[in-house]
Amino acid sequence: MARAALSREAVVEIALGLVDAEGEQGLTLSAVATRAGVATPSLYKHVRNLAELRELLSIRIMGELTDEVSAAVLGRSGDEAVRALMESWRSYVLRHPRRYSAMLQTPEPGLAEAGSRLVGIALAALRAYGLSDSAAIHAARCVRAAVHGFSMLEAGGGFGLPEKLDESYDLLIDVMTSGLSTPR
């Protein structure tokens, strides 16, 4: 990449490529600078430090995930919406395991807007169950935990038994939607 083309977005793009190729441990300012063909201090015109770069990278990843989940859920409701949400989230993780793993999972201030879009989609998918306020948040957290846990275990090779993972995931979705349909 030519020096003149370097921008904040270009730095994030380079960081994304590093994470995809080497995992989160490969993401250093030195590695980004090397790929950009500049000296490390040149990056400080675009990002304050590695922590800010990780946050920007996480915002980008969260945006990608949210766009995919949104497209999958659009026009669906109830069990169909939850199934689409869970399947699209898992699909993203399996296609981009290193990228997803590098995404900050903490509520950093800069991630609030990106995260709120995904939460909004999850809450909309849950609306057909009649959940509101705290109950809807609890349900959204459960769906997130189920998708995240299963997908990360799968992406990391954590399931060693011969049963088909798609069947296990279908069961997980059925358990989630049945639990959501159960009156409280």
Side-chain angles (χ1 to χ4, degrees):
M1 176 170 296
R3 180 183 207 124
L6 200 57
S7 64
R8 178 179 278 234
E9 184 57 37
V11 170
V12 171
E13 188 67 31
I14 292 166
L16 196 60
L18 272 168
V19 166
D20 284 343
E22 301 176 28
E24 185 178 2
Q25 68 280 359
L27 181 61
T28 65
L29 290 178
S30 175
V32 171
T34 298
R35 279 208 176 182
V38 299
T40 302
S42 296
L43 295 179
Y44 296 116
K45 295 174 188 170
H46 309 288
V47 294
R48 286 188 306 272
N49 51 35
L50 184 58
E52 182 184 42
L53 179 55
R54 287 184 188 281
E55 188 172 314
L56 292 169
L57 184 67
S58 295
I59 291 167
R60 165 80 179 271
I61 296 165
M62 178 75 72
E64 290 176 351
L65 173 61
T66 300
D67 289 347
E68 287 194 24
V69 168
S70 177
V73 171
L74 189 65
R76 295 182 164 92
S77 67
D79 292 355
E80 189 180 340
V82 172
R83 177 170 293 281
L85 182 147
M86 292 179 72
E87 288 176 346
S88 63
W89 195 319
R90 175 186 178 216
S91 175
Y92 183 88
V93 174
L94 295 180
R95 283 192 332 277
H96 306 290
R98 290 177 171 172
R99 187 178 293 199
Y100 181 80
S101 184
M103 183 175 62
L104 298 172
Q105 297 290 334
T106 56
E108 301 294 324
L111 283 169
E113 184 178 332
S116 68
R117 280 186 57 222
L118 186 56
V119 169
I121 292 165
L123 293 174
L126 295 169
R127 197 169 293 129
Y129 297 100
L131 303 170
S132 59
D133 304 323
S134 291
I137 296 298
H138 293 310
R141 286 176 177 164
C142 289
V143 170
R144 175 187 179 204
V147 174
H148 176 81
F150 191 98
S151 300
M152 290 301 291
L153 284 167
E154 182 178 6
F159 296 120
L161 299 175
E163 284 71 22
K164 294 179 181 171
L165 291 174
D166 288 343
E167 291 176 15
S168 296
Y169 200 68
D170 284 341
L171 175 60
L172 177 63
I173 294 171
D174 290 345
V175 167
M176 293 301 300
T177 56
S178 294
L180 292 166
S181 298
T182 302
R184 288 173 201 10

